Each structure stands twice: as structure tokens, then as C-alpha cells.
């Protein structure tokens, strides 16, 4: 896998993940090309595209497009299922996920993605396990910062 | 503080059992980030957004640099910076703070810090240096979450040169008690393997341990590494095939924990990974393939649910079945499966079906016939992606009969496609098809014209080059030749009269060259007109200087003086003061040659065949000039690739003063100019080589690496390629117009449409018959790669042949390397996933890993066993050293005993020489056969020992020895007749190689009669590595140079360099010399030349050059296959060090 992008119907980037080293210029070009190419696709076309030497697999969920760049010898259907499982993971975590969840909590979406994919390969496919480890990390926050006093002080400083 | 963390961790399991409220995350929408986001959505213009973000960034900048900002606030600020960067605004001031946050924050803050770092910085960012210590600290942390975060960030963006710093710690994590850590460590190592494979070379055995991990997740992760390694070297992992098969069997059988299921399908990602690995292992390898037939069958059967994921598995399964050694019933099932894909109404599946068809259609064109109507539909599909994939499929089934239709479809697509990448690819394919299958001249030229106009300046430069080469080489028939050239001229003149400004530069270059060479063929065309058309090109604004130099070249060929003089005079005056040196050069040439027709006729003879030109490829006439320049202090010439390498090596600032550069004179190459400027640059590359050597006493060009050799002493070198002979036999087919061709096709097409069909349907049928014509005849048998005997109109470029023949050789190599799967390996992993009892599993794994080491052990001994002869023969050829027999090392096998006593039976004249280990061949109740080979200076002797181990004598014994690859001649009388009980008979045979192969085999039969009168026979075979036939070949550098040019079979490969204390090139060459009996002719700087001969006198030359940490080796020999076999042995020799 080379990259994963999430963007809205208006072409606004919501999440970007790069699995190989790329310069900022390349990234910008890919983001621009992907949004234009994907958004221009007619309904009921297939979910795969060729871009340079890469295969682009994309899918729309409600108002969000999920777009995955994989090597051209990769299995496109499998890539499609990677997207689907990621959506399911988001759904499990946020509970009936919508675009706003991802906009306002994009860092959480990144954490979930990091738990699911690592080094450009699928690491953990189980919804339960991914969710458990994300919540384990989240929980630390609640245990450590139930100290209301500290929180109040922080707020006053701001 | 860490105390709290520890407590939290221990409390986690109980906390987790209560279902926490997942929606809690939504609360943060009231935060500052929330305000920012809401603020942005309310804006109406891009300008306002920019203002808001700039304001926001300023605020963030102020806060991050304030000393009072807590880490908690910093975390929030980082999230906002990430958001701004995602919108495309730079927040580089926050990068350093992100690193600080990762360093100093508590777990949660750290998590955001790491995330920000991985989003902000890429691998080459210098700030990453500051992250190394943090990662080191976190890797050593007792907090699992911190370790996980460190491993994640390491696999995300760690720079290559910093890997060594953390590698030991990551490696250590492979033994971590928690499987999640082990899994992440394996994936981190996988990432390292991808970016710096040599840094993780030493941990290969740990990968094996990961493969046997009791946690299926860790095992799955390790498969990523294995897939990579197997891709690079499938032979090294054949022994693991049964293990992979067993794992797949268990996965398919649903033996994995439920956690691994995906929509009730067991571990699909794992299944697909295994199928890919099996495909690589079974490719071109019958015995390995046989191991996997059963599980593939089961995979096909089990994947029946109608869901994307099962189709993904099926697709991979089909691909595997068509990659490995074929089995008919599996192929049948796979074909049916492809049918399901192709016929599916779901467009994604259809797409994959087309892709699968494209993959298999070369082996089984019948399948394309079955689905022809679907393919036609897809060709007209509104989705361009589907259309493109269909063309890809058609490209694979193109033949001489359907080429016009298919190329037409491809060109149609090219007209509507806007994607550069697709255009480049497709243009190349059309050119290839046109050259291969063109039905007639007109079609060919017209198609190429379209290719040049559509492909524009994006297409691969070798397309115009090979087109011009084809035109100049021509066919065997002079008349045909003339027609083709004339047709090209005829089609170009109107193009130039029209709007040449719209044509791509490359096309203009082709046109200029053709007009320069061949416009005289058209009698009604005045040279003056051509000249003025060409001159018009020079005046065009958008003509590149490269095009202009082609045009000037063409004008030089055309100008005759007289009326043309004014045009040429004007042009040459304009450009003789051009700033572009090449243009200036051309202009001067034009000026001189147009004034001196005699000189022109000599330099640029019209209509001369390239073959008849005498070309001094080494440009030795320049040697004096070069040596003078060198004497005057000029730097020796370096070919461009070498310069590039040196440039790459020293990316830092160069503090050395610049050396004098030596301009290579272009004018001296003008004879070769008749080809094209591209070829010109090649020949100037050659001249540089000669310059390099001349001052060292060598006379011939040696460094030909990277330079395509087109011209040689004997003229055009492509002539010598074997394809040529085949092509010359073919008679050019009579010219036929495309239309008539189509009619002819539909007559003998195999889908006649008798019943009246509606109009559009009929159209499709017609299209089908023209597309799929010619497939039926081929479809009958041949499942494996078959060579297509379709006659070709044009000579094909020889370049295809080289890789093809070396591929064959590698096939042989792989088949000779298969080691039988050992029983130990069969046990390995057998129970790995079977049981659910964890403790039992743990025990088993430890046992398994022990077994694994023994399995490795057997592998090693086997590898050694194949080379004993090389060890044995070394001493004899070191002349100053009179050791008689090599020490074969301690061996426990029973054969050793016989060897000791058989030694004394060696014929006296051979006993002083070194011989290979005497190996037992076969035995039955009465006879025992052994053999060895003895290396003599000029021959190889096979000695067969026949021992009558029975208590009675045997009669009429007859020993026959034969070989496919070898010439076997009996030295003294073959042992025959009667053998008394417990006696030994010895046969001697001299072997010479007829046909080189990596290992050559001798087969033999002993027939005899028992006293009772029953006749019996015993068969045996004996393998000898080719290296036993190799002897050093003493030549001088000059002789080497001459031979090098005259040998036509070659192969190139990169070998590993030995890096011990010595200089790597010398060390490697010495090692090869020792192991393979080569003669090192000379070592010059980073290059070495080596020679050897295959008994008796078949030379093979080797040119070695150190290049970016590798030894680039180029072998040449007059004997086919010899270079390939030898490179294999070189590889083995270096590996075994």
C-alpha cells in the first residue's frame, strides 16, 4: 500500500496517510489528482483506476470518499475490503460514524488506522481487538486526568 | 508518574470488560479545534479562509513558544496545527514542538506528538535525528502502549541511516511476551527490509522463528517478509512449501480463532498472502507444485459465499493455479471461476475477470474465445478503465490476422485518453504490434504515423529509433524495401506541406531523417522542394534544437549545390553562429559538404547499406589525439553512467578542484551519423572507452557496459543474432489492403453467424470474428508458455532474444535446485494452529523451533554436498602445490567406507590427480556401483566402480554410459564379461560438454546375468557440475579484446562483493578464481577481466566492474548457454563463502 486519503464530496481532505516516503510536492500532486479523478467518476463505474504505475481503489461512504493507492499487482477487491474494514472500525469506535466525527476527531481516526494498518500492511483485522487497544489508550487519559484540579488550573492558564 | 501508568495498565482488563461509551469522543467538538472547524465552515470564500487560518497559525505560534504552555495544551495545539497543515497551510514552526511533545509528554500527549511528527516530517527531514533518543527510550519502556507507539512510528517514517541505532531493540522485541509487541516488531522489521534489506540480513533465522510463532497474528506478519524474500529468491525457500501448505489448509479449514474472521471468512488476508507465496514457490517447479494441488482445490471449493472478500480469495487462487505447474482439473475449475467473474453483472468483478483473463490468456487462448462476446461488450463500456483493461487483454491475443482490428481499437482509445501514463504505455504496445504483425507497408507506415502524432514527445525514445532502424535495415527484397521507404516519404511530404507546427518533435525528427535518406526515391519530388520544406521546420518557433540538428543533418544529405545553394547557404549562415554547439557543428558540416560534392558522396554515400560501411568501433584513430590530451594533463574519460555513479556516491560538497575536462570531438564520428543522433552518442561513448584504455596499453574497447552495441568491426551487429536466420526464411506476404484482409478473416473465422440477427448484434459478431481470428487454431493444446510460430513481416529487434534465452537457463537452474521436502519440515507447523490449548502450543513452538534448526542443518549439508568436487580439485590445479587428494572432511554416511577402499582401485595413471568424492550410485543384492570424476589438465575422466558384493560370480556383464549433454568416450575397454565374487571392475570414460547446462548428467546401465541364468540390469545416473569442466584460460589483454568483440552469446548480472579486509574487487575475483578455476587477465581500477575455457577449447570471457556495492558481471562466449550456466556457478561460489 502506498497511501490512503479521505476526502469529502467537495474535495476537502479529511485524512491522509502515506506509507512510503514522499516529498511534499508529490503528496500535494497526488491529493490534487486523486480528488479530481475520483470526484469525476460516473456513478456505477468500477471502483478501480490506474494512476501512473499505481492502482487506485476508492469507495464512497455517505459524504466521504475513501481512496487507497496500491501497487498495480495488488488485489483490488482486497483493497476495497481494507477500506470497508476501516469504515467498520470507525463505526464501531464512534458508533454510527459520520463525516463530522472524523472532522472533529481526526486524530482518533489516525490512531485507529495505525492500529489497523502498519508499514503499509494489514496488522489487525479484528474489530474487537482494534477497538480494545484504542480504548485502552483513551482510558489512560480518563484515569490520569480525573484530577479536576489540574484541569481547572490548565484552563485558567489559558 | 510511571507508577500511575503501571497501575492503569493492570487495571485495564477489568475496565475493558465494561463496555465503555464509545461516543465519548464526540465531546471534544466544543474544543478550540471545534471552534476553528466551525469557523471555517461558515466562511464563503477561499480568501477568508486563508485569513482565518493565518490568524489561527499566529496564535498557535505564539502559544507553542511560550514557556508557560503545558504539555496538555501543547497536545491540543498540535492537533490544531495538524488540521491547518491538512488544509494545505504550512505550520513548520510546530515541527520541533511535535518532537518535543513526543519526547516529554505523558502517554496520551506522546501519542499526539508521534502522530504529528509522522504527519509533518518525511523520512529525509533533518529534525528526525532528534527523535531517535525518544524512540530508543520508548522502546525500552515498561509501558506496553509506549512500546507500541514507538514501533508504529518506526515503521511509519524512520530514515534508513538511523535504523542501526534502534535495530537491536526492535530485534529484541521479537521475543517479547506480548504478541501485539512481537507482531509490531515483525512489521517494523518488514519495513526495514523494504527500505534497507542488507541491514536486516543477519536476522533471517529470527524471521523463521516469527513464522513459527504461537500467535497466528505474528505468523501472518512474518509472511510479509517471506513474500518479499521469496520473490527475490524462490529457490532458497522451497523447503518451506509444505509448511505454508499446512498453514493454508488449517486457515481454510477454519482452525483459527474467531478473531481472525472477516465477515465469517477465515483470515482472508492471511489466505491471500499464502496463495501469493505458493504461486512464487510453485512457478516452473513441478514437484513443489504437486504439494499444493490439494489445498488449492480446497480453497476454490470453500470460497463459495457471494461476497467481495471470497472473490478476492478466488482471484488469487486462480492466479496461483495458472502460475504454478499446471494440473488439468484445477485449471478447469479455475477457468470456470474466471467465467463467473467475467459474466458477473457487478462491474468490479468484471474488471477483475478481465484482469485474470489477461493473465491466463497466453497459456490458454481458448478462454478468450469462450468469453469473446463479453470482451466485445467491455470494449464498448462507458467506463474507460474497463475499456483499457480490455485492450490489455486484446494486446495479449494479437496475431497477424487480427492485428488491424486490435490496433484500430487501441488507437481509438488513445484519441480519447487523457492520462499520460496510459498514452505512453499504449503507444509502446501499438508500435510493438505494428512492427511484429504489420500486414502491409501502407498500414505499417500509417499506423506508425498515428503513433508518432499521438505519442508525441512522451513516448519511449526507442520507438522512433527502432522504427528508423527497421526502415534502414529493410527486408531481403530490395523492391519491397524501396516500396516501404517510398511510402514513408509519400506520407510525410503532405504532412510537412500541411501544418508541421502541430506535429510532435520526435515525429519531426523521424520525418527529417527519412526525407534526408530516402526522398530521392520519389522521382517527381525535387530536392529543392524538400529542402525548403525542411528549412520551414527550422523557422518554427517551437522546434527544439534537437529537432533542428536532425533537420540540418537531413539537409546536408540532400543539398546538391546549384539551385539549392541559396537555401543551404542561408541556413548554414544563420546557424553557424548559433549558441548551441551541436547546431553550429551541423551548420558547418552543411556548409562544407554542400560545397564539396565529392567529399559529401564519400562521407554520406546515398543508399548505402549500413552493412557495407567499415566502422572502427573502437575509434582507434582518435587514440593519438587522446594520448596527447592525456599527456597534456586532461582527465581520462569516464562514461556517463560512471560519472553518475560517482556523483551519487559523493553527494556532499566536493572540495576537490575540478579536473580539466576533455571534449570529445563530434566531427570525427560523422560516419556513424547516418543512423541518428542517438546512435551517435553511443559511439562517442565507445570512443571514450578506447581513450580510457589507450594510455594503459590496452588497445580494444573494454568498458562496453551500459552501451548498446550497434556497430562492430564487421559492421552492423544485429546481423549476428539468431533471430535473423529465422526471419530471413520468411517470405514477405503479398500486400493486401486492410479491408480485404478483414473479409478474408471472416471467411475462415470459427463463429459463423448463420441465423439472421438484429443489426447491432451482427456488428458485434463481426467484430468478434475479426478480433478472435487465429486463436482457435492455437487453442487446442499447450498449456505452458508456447512459442508463437506466426510469421513476421518485419525483422524483429534482437533485443528480445537475450532475456529469453537467459530465462530458459534460469528455468533449468530452478529445476535442478529443488530439494526434496524433508520429513522434518513436514512436521514443522503441522500442529501450529490446530490446537486451542495455549500452554500446549507454547511447548510445541519451542520444540518446533528446535526442529527448525535441525531442518536448517540438513539444508546446509545438502548445499555442501553439491560442491565437493570443486573442493577436491583445487589442489591439483595449483601447480606449485602437490597435494594429491583433498580432505573431504568428516562424513558419517556409510558411503565413506566404500570410498576408502575403492580409492585403491583408481587406475594408476589417475591416482596422482585429485578426484571428487567416490559416491555410491546404486546397488542391488549382487552389485554395488560407485563413481567419481577425476580432473585432468585437459579432460575430465569419469570412473565407475562396479563391485560384485554377492557370493557368486556374475556373467556377461556390460556397462553402458551415455549422456544428453555430454560426449562420452570410453577410454580403455569397458569392463565386461565375468566378475568373480567380491571383485571390483573399473570403467573409465572421458567426458566433454556438448551442450552446457548448470549440471550435466551421465546415465548408465549395467546389465548382467546371474549364474542361474536370469539376466538383470541396474541403472544409474551421475551428476557433474559444469565447473568441473572449466579450466583457466591464459590470454593477453589484447587477445581478450579481440575475442570479446567476436562472441555473440552474453549475459549480465550483479553479484555480491566480498567485503573483507582486502580490496573488494580483488578479493571477489580471487575467490572466484580459486573456486571456479578462472584466469584473471588484468585488473584496472574498479574493473577486472577474467577468462576461462570449457573443455576442450570453448572460451568464456568475463568482464567485472564494481558498481554501487555490487559486482556487475558481463559474460560472453561463442557457446550458447555457457554464460548463463557460469554466472549461476559464480553466484553459488560467492554465496557459499
Amino acid at each position: 500500500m502506498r497511501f490512503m486519503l479521505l476526502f469529502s464530496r467537495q474535495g476537502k481532505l479529511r485524512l491522509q496517510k502515506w506509507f512510503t516516503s514522499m516529498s511534499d510536492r508529490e503528496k500535494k500532486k497526488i491529493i490534487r489528482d486523486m480528488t479530481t479523478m475520483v470526484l469525476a467518476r460516473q456513478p456505477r463505474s468500477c471502483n478501480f483506476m490506474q494512476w501512473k504505475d499505481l492502482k487506485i481503489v476508492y469507495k464512497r461512504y455517505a459524504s466521504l470518499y475513501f481512496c487507497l493507492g496500491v501497487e498495480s499487482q495488488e488485489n483490488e477487491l482486497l483493497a476495497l475490503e481494507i477500506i470497508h474494514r476501516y469504515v467498520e472500525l470507525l463505526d464501531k469506535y464512534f458508533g454510527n460514524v459520520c463525516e463530522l466525527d472524523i472532522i472533529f476527531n481526526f486524530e482518533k481516526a489516525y490512531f485507529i488506522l495505525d492500529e489497523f494498518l502498519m508499514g503499509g500492511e494489514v496488522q489487525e483485522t479484528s474489530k474487537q481487538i482494534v477497538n480494545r487497544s484504542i480504548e485502552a489508550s483513551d482510558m489512560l487519559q480518563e484515569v490520569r486526568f480525573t484530577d479536576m484540579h489540574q484541569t481547572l488550573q490548565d484552563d485558567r492558564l489559558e | 508518574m510511571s507508577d500511575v501508568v503501571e497501575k492503569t495498565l493492570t487495571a485495564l482488563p477489568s475496565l475493558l470488560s465494561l463496555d465503555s461509551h464509545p461516543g465519548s469522543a464526540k465531546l471534544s467538538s466544543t474544543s478550540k479545534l471545534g471552534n476553528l472547524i466551525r469557523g471555517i465552515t461558515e466562511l464563503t470564500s477561499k480568501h477568508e479562509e486563508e485569513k482565518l487560518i493565518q490568524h489561527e497559525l499566529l496564535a498557535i505560534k505564539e502559544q507553542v513558544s511560550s514557556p508557560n504552555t503545558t504539555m496538555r495544551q501543547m497536545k491540543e495545539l498540535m492537533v490544531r496545527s495538524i488540521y491547518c497543515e491538512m488544509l494545505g497551510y504550512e505550520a513548520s514552526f510546530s515541527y520541533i514542538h511535535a518532537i518535543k511533545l513526543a519526547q516529554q509528554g505523558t502517554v496520551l500527549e506522546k501519542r499526539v506528538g508521534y502522530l504529528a511528527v509522522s504527519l509533518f516530517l518525511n523520512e529525509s527531514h533533518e529534525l528526525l535525528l532528534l527523535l531517535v533518543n525518544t524512540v530508543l527510550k520508548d522502546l525500552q519502556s515498561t509501558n506496553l502502549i509506549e512500546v507500541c507507539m514507538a514501533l508504529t512510528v518506526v515503521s511509519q517514517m524512520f530514515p534508513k541511516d538511523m535504523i542501526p541505532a534502534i535495530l537491536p531493540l526492535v530485534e529484541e522485541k521479537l521475543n517479547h511476551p506480548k504478541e501485539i509487541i512481537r507482531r509490531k516488531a515483525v512489521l517494523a522489521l518488514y519495513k526495514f527490509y523494504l527500505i534497507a534489506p542488507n541491514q536486516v540480513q543477519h536476522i533471517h533465522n529470527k524471521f523463521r522463528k516469527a513464522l513459527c510463532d504461537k500467535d497466528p497474528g505474528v505468523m501472518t506478519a512474518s509472511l510479509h517478509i517471506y513474500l518479499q524474500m521469496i520473490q527475490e529468491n524462490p529457490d532458497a525457500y522451497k523447503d518451506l512449501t509444505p509448511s505454508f501448505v499446512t498453514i493454508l489448509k488449517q486457515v481454510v479449514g477454519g482452525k483459527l480463532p474467531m478473531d481472525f474472521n472477516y465477515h465469517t471468512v477465515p483470515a482472508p488476508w492471511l489466505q491471500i498472502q499464502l496463495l501469493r507465496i505458493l504461486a512464487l514457490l510453485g512457478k516452473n517447479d513441478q514437484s513443489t507444485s504437486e504439494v499444493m494441488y490439494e489445498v488449492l482445490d480446497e480453497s476454490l471449493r470453500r470460497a463459495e459465499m457471494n461476497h467481495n472478500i471470497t472473490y478476492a480469495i478466488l482471484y488469487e487462487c486462480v492466479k496461483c493455479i495458472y502460475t504454478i505447474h499446471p494440473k488439468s482439473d484445477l485449471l478447469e475449475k479455475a477457468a470456470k471461476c474466471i467465467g463467473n467473474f467475467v459474466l458477473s453483472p457487478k462491474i468490479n468483478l468484471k474488471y477483475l475477470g478481465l484482469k485474470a483473463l489477461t493473465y491466463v490468456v497466453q497459456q490458454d487462448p481458448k478462454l478468450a474465445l469462450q468469453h469473446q462476446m463479453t470482451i466485445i461488450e467491455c470494449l464498448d463500456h462507458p467506463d474507460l478503465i474497463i475499456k483499457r483493461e480490455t485492450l490489455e487483454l486484446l494486446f495479449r491475443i494479437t496475431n497477424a490476422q487480427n492485428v488491424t482490428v486490435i490496433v484500430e481499437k487501441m488507437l481509438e482509445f488513445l484519441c480519447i485518453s487523457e492520462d499520460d501514463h496510459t498514452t505512453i504505455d499504449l503507444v509502446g504496445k501499438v508500435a510493438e504490434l505494428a512492427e511484429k504483425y504489420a500486414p502491409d507497408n501502407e498500414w505499417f507506415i500509417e499506423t506508425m504515423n498515428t503513433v508518432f502524432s499521438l505519442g508525441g514527445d512522451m513516448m519511449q525514445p526507442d520507438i522512433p529509433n527502432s522504427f528508423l532502424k527497421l526502415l534502414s535495415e529493410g527486408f531481403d527484397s530490395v523492391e519491397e524495401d524501396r516500396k516501404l521507404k517510398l511510402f514513408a516519404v509519400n506520407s510525410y511530404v503532405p504532412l510537412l506541406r500541411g501544418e508541421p507546427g502541430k506535429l510532435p518533435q520526435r515525429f519531426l525528427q523521424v520525418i527529417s531523417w527519412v526525407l534526408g535518406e530516402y526522398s530521392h526515391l520519389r522521382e517527381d519530388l525535387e530536392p529543392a522542394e524538400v529542402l525548403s520544406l525542411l528549412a520551414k521546420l527550422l523557422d518554427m518557433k517551437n522546434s527544439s534544437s534537437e529537432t533542428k540538428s536532425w533537420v540540418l543533418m537531413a539537409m546536408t544529405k540532400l543539398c546538391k549545390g546549384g539551385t539549392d545553394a541559396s537555401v543551404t547557404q542561408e541556413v548554414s549562415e544563420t546557424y553557424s553562429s548559433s549558441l548551441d554547439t551541436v547546431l553550429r557543428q551541423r551548420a558547418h558540416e552543411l556548409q562544407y559538404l554542400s560545397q564539396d560534392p565529392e567529399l559529401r558522396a564519400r562521407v554520406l554515400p546515398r543508399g548505402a547499406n549500413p552493412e557495407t560501411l567499415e566502422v572502427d568501433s573502437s575509434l582507434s584513430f582518435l587514440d593519438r589525439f587522446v594520448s596527447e590530451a592525456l599527456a597534456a594533463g586532461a582527465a581520462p574519460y569516464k562514461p556517463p553512467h560512471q560519472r553518475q555513479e560517482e556523483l551519487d556516491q559523493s553527494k556532499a560538497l566536493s572540495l576537490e578542484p575540478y579536473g580539466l575536462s576533455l571534449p570529445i570531438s563530434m566531427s570525427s564520428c560523422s560516419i556513424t551519423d547516418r543512423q541518428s543522433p542517438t546512435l551517435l552518442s553511443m559511439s562517442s561513448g565507445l570512443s571514450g572507452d578506447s581513450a580510457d584504455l589507450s594510455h594503459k596499453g590496452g588497445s580494444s574497447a573494454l568498458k562496453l557496459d551500459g552501451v548498446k552495441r550497434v556497430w562492430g568491426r564487421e559492421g552492423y551487429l544485429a546481423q549476428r543474432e539468431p533471430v535473423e536466420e529465422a526471419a530471413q526464411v520468411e517470405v514477405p506476404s503479398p500486400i493486401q489492403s486492410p479491408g480485404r484482409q478483414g473479409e478474408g478473416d471472416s471467411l475462415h473465422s470459427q463463429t459463423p453467424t448463420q441465423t439472421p440477427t438484429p443489426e447491432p448484434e451482427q456488428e458485434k459478431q463481426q467484430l468478434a470474428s475479426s478480433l478472435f481470428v487465429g486463436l482457435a487454431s492455437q487453442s487446442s493444446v499447450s498449456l505452458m508458455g508456447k512459442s508463437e510460430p506466426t510469421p513476421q513481416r518485419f525483422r524483429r529487434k534482437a533485443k528480445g532474444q537475450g532475456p529469453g534465452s537467459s530465462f530458459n537457463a534460469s528455468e533449468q537452474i530452478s529445476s535442478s535446485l529443488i530439494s526434496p521436502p524433508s520429513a522434518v519440515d513436514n512436521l514443522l507447523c503441522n500442529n501450529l494452529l490446530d490446537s486451542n490449548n495455549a500452554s500446549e502450543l507454547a511447548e510445541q513452538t519451542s520444540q518446533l523451533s528446535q526442529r527448525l534448526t535441525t531442518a536448517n542443518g540438513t539444508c546446509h549439508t545438502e548445499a555442501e554436498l553439491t560442491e565437493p568436487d570443486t573442493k577436491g580439485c583445487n589442489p591439483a590445479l595449483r601447480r606449485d602445490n602437490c597435494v594429491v587428494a583433498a580432505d573431504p572432511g568428516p562424513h558419517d554416511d556409510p558411503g565413506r567406507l566404500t570410498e576408502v577402499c575403492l580409492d585403491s582401485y583408481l587406475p594408476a595413471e589417475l591416482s596422482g590427480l585429485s578426484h571428487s568424492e567416490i559416491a555410491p550410485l546404486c546397488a542391488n543384492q549382487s552389485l554395488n556401483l560407485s563413481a567419481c570424476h577425476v580432473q585432468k589438465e585437459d579432460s575430465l575422466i569419469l570412473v565407475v566402480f562396479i563391485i560384485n558384493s554377492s557370493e557368486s560370480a556374475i556373467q556377461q556383464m556390460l556397462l553402458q554410459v551415455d549422456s544428453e549433454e555430454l560426449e562420452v568416450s570410453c577410454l580403455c575397454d569397458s569392463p565386461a564379461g565375468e566378475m568373480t565374487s567380491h571383485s571390483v571392475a573399473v570403467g573409465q570414460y572421458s567426458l566433454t560438454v556438448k551442450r552446457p547446462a548448470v549440471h550435466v548428467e551421465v546415465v548408465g546401465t549395467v546389465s548382467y546375468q546371474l549364474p542361474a541364468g536370469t539376466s538383470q540390469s541396474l541403472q544409474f545416473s551421475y551428476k557433474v557440475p559444469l565447473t568441473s569442466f572449466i579450466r583457466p584460460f591464459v590470454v593477453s589483454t589484447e587477445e581478450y579484446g579481440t575475442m570479446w568483440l567476436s562472441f555473440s552469446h552474453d549475459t549480465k548480472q550483479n553479484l555480491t562483493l566480498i567485503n573483507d579486509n582486502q580490496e573488494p574487487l580483488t578479493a571477489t575475483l580471487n575467490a572466484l578464481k580459486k573456486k571456479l578455476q578462472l584466469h584473471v587477465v588484468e585488473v584496472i581500477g574498479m574493473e577486472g577481466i577474467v577468462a576461462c575455457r570449457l573443455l576442450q577449447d570453448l572460451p568464456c570471457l568475463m568482464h567485472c566492474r564494481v558498481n554501487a556495492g555490487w559486482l556487475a558481471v558481463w559474460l560472453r562466449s561463442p557457446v550458447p548457454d555457457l554464460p548463463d550456466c557460469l554466472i549461476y556457478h559464480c553466484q553459488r561460489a560467492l554465496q557459499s563463502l
Side-chain angles (χ1 to χ4, degrees), chain B residues 48-330:
Chain B
E48 279 178 316
E49 179 192 292
E50 212 175 301
K51 239 169 66 185
L52 183 76
I53 301 278
Q54 292 305 348
H55 185 255
E56 177 79 14
L57 282 174
L58 265 180
I60 297 175
K61 192 171 183 175
E62 200 176 306
Q63 271 188 297
V64 287
S65 41
S66 149
N68 294 328
T69 312
T70 62
M71 280 297 145
R72 179 142 186 261
Q73 290 163 324
M74 194 67 95
K75 175 188 140 211
E76 206 272 320
L77 290 167
M78 281 307 129
V79 173
R80 270 152 68 198
S81 312
I82 296 176
Y83 191 80
C84 294
E85 282 240 329
M86 185 154 67
L87 290 177
Y89 300 89
E90 201 197 85
S92 52
F93 62 86
S94 53
Y95 297 173
I96 185 76
H97 298 283
I99 289 182
K100 228 162 79 184
L101 187 64
Q103 207 166 49
Q104 296 166 2
T106 55
V107 182
L108 250 188
E109 293 145 11
K110 201 184 255 304
R111 187 163 70 152
V112 173
Y114 273 135
L115 175 67
V117 169
S118 70
L119 288 171
F120 289 156
L121 309 180
N122 64 17
E123 258 163 54
S124 50
H125 204 287
E126 51 195 355
L127 278 179
L128 275 184
L129 258 177
L130 300 174
L131 197 71
V132 177
N133 268 330
T134 314
V135 169
L136 276 176
K137 202 182 83 202
D138 288 335
L139 280 176
Q140 286 163 296
S141 162
T142 49
N143 184 339
L144 285 187
I145 293 174
E146 282 182 342
V147 180
C148 283
M149 283 193 292
L151 286 172
T152 305
V153 83
V154 148
S155 74
Q156 170 75 30
M157 36 97 70
F158 221 63
K160 210 172 173 174
D161 43 341
M162 290 182 218
I163 291 174
I166 51 152
L167 189 59
L169 281 175
V170 177
E171 241 182 284
E172 206 177 85
K173 294 288 172 282
L174 290 176
N175 298 322
H176 200 278
K178 276 300 220 187
E179 59 272 357
I180 178 82
I181 304 280
R182 291 203 300 276
R183 192 187 297 186
K184 290 197 183 207
V186 170
L187 281 173
L189 288 173
Y190 163 68
K191 193 68 198 295
F192 295 169
Y193 183 86
L194 290 183
I195 55 178
N198 41 358
Q199 295 197 13
V200 291
Q201 231 154 28
H202 63 288
I203 24 187
H204 279 193
N205 55 341
K206 291 194 179 157
F207 294 155
R208 284 225 177 199
K209 212 179 142 213
L211 181 65
C212 300
D213 199 285
K214 63 181 180 227
D215 177 59
V218 181
M219 183 269 293
T220 310
S222 76
L223 290 183
H224 295 303
I225 303 180
Y226 273 95
L227 182 68
Q228 287 296 325
M229 296 197 295
I230 292 173
Q231 222 155 27
E232 278 150 36
N233 181 12
D235 292 330
Y237 301 92
K238 297 264 177 184
D239 59 322
L240 287 174
T241 315
S243 318
F244 292 131
V245 167
T246 318
I247 299 174
L248 183 57
K249 225 175 256 175
Q250 296 180 29
V251 176
V252 173
K255 299 273 167 51
L256 283 191
M258 290 291 280
D259 272 344
F260 288 87
N261 284 7
Y262 176 80
H263 294 269
T264 72
V265 177
W269 277 274
L270 174 54
Q271 285 195 44
I272 285 174
Q273 197 75 356
L274 285 167
L275 286 169
R276 284 178 187 160
I277 289 177
L278 290 182
L280 290 173
L281 289 171
K283 192 174 183 182
N284 300 326
D285 183 344
Q286 184 170 2
S287 60
T288 309
S289 298
E290 275 163 4
V291 181
M292 45 188 98
Y293 289 149
E294 192 195 324
V295 75
L296 290 175
D297 192 43
E298 196 173 335
S299 290
L300 276 184
R301 214 168 27 166
R302 293 256 187 174
E304 55 201 2
M305 201 180 66
N306 189 14
H307 187 283
N308 264 348
I309 199 77
T310 43
Y311 284 115
I313 295 173
L314 279 176
Y315 173 76
E316 215 65 48
C317 219
V318 166
K319 237 175 120 176
C320 180
I321 289 170
Y322 271 95
T323 311
I324 63 171
H325 188 87
K327 183 172 190 255
S328 59
D329 69 318
L330 272 182

Side-chain angles (χ1 to χ4, degrees), chain B residues 314-373:
Chain B
L314 279 176
Y315 173 76
E316 215 65 48
C317 219
V318 166
K319 237 175 120 176
C320 180
I321 289 170
Y322 271 95
T323 311
I324 63 171
H325 188 87
K327 183 172 190 255
S328 59
D329 69 318
L330 272 182
L331 287 175
E332 224 167 87
K333 285 178 190 168
K336 218 177 113 199
C337 204
I338 294 180
N340 289 341
F341 275 89
V342 175
L343 297 173
S344 165
K346 288 185 184 158
I347 186 153
N348 285 344
L349 294 186
K350 211 181 255 307
Y351 173 89
L352 237 62
L354 286 172
K355 215 174 130 180
L357 265 185
T358 311
Y359 187 77
V360 304
V361 85
Q362 282 151 308
Q363 295 161 35
D364 194 358
K366 237 190 324 194
L367 267 182
L369 279 177
Q370 269 173 29
H371 300 297
Q372 45 180 319
M373 287 324 279

Side-chain angles (χ1 to χ4, degrees), chain B residues 701-715:
Chain B
L702 177 63
K703 266 189 288 184
L704 295 163
D705 232 359
V707 180
K708 203 166 132 200
R709 233 159 51 92
V710 190
W711 293 92
R713 291 227 162 106
E714 292 80 8

Side-chain angles (χ1 to χ4, degrees), chain B residues 1067-1105:
Chain B
T1068 316
L1069 288 186
N1070 281 342
L1072 285 176
K1073 180 183 166 187
K1074 225 165 103 185
K1075 288 228 165 190
L1076 301 175
Q1077 322 260 352
L1078 310 173
H1079 170 69
V1080 179
V1081 182
E1082 198 176 349
V1083 177
I1084 311 165
M1086 297 311 265
E1087 288 182 65
I1089 51 177
V1090 178
C1092 65
R1093 65 193 163 100
L1094 180 70
L1095 289 175
Q1096 294 294 328
D1097 290 304
L1098 304 170
C1100 185
L1101 306 178
M1102 194 165 150
H1103 172 240
C1104 311
R1105 191 167 59 84

Side-chain angles (χ1 to χ4, degrees), chain A residues 43-56:
Chain A
R44 273 184 301 160
S45 324
C46 73
N47 293 74
F48 319 126
M49 286 185 301
Q50 188 81 31
W51 183 82
K52 296 210 170 157
D53 57 337
L54 291 186
K55 193 66 85 182
I56 308 300

Side-chain angles (χ1 to χ4, degrees), chain B residues 120 154 161 223 258 328 449 593 601 613-614 630 666 779 794 844 916 927 1110:
Chain B
F120 289 156
V154 148
D161 43 341
L223 290 183
M258 290 291 280
S328 59
N449 286 356
L593 294 177
L613 284 179
E614 182 71 31
L630 285 169
M666 302 281 274
S779 63
F794 300 118
Q844 275 170 357
S916 71
L927 286 188
W1110 291 91

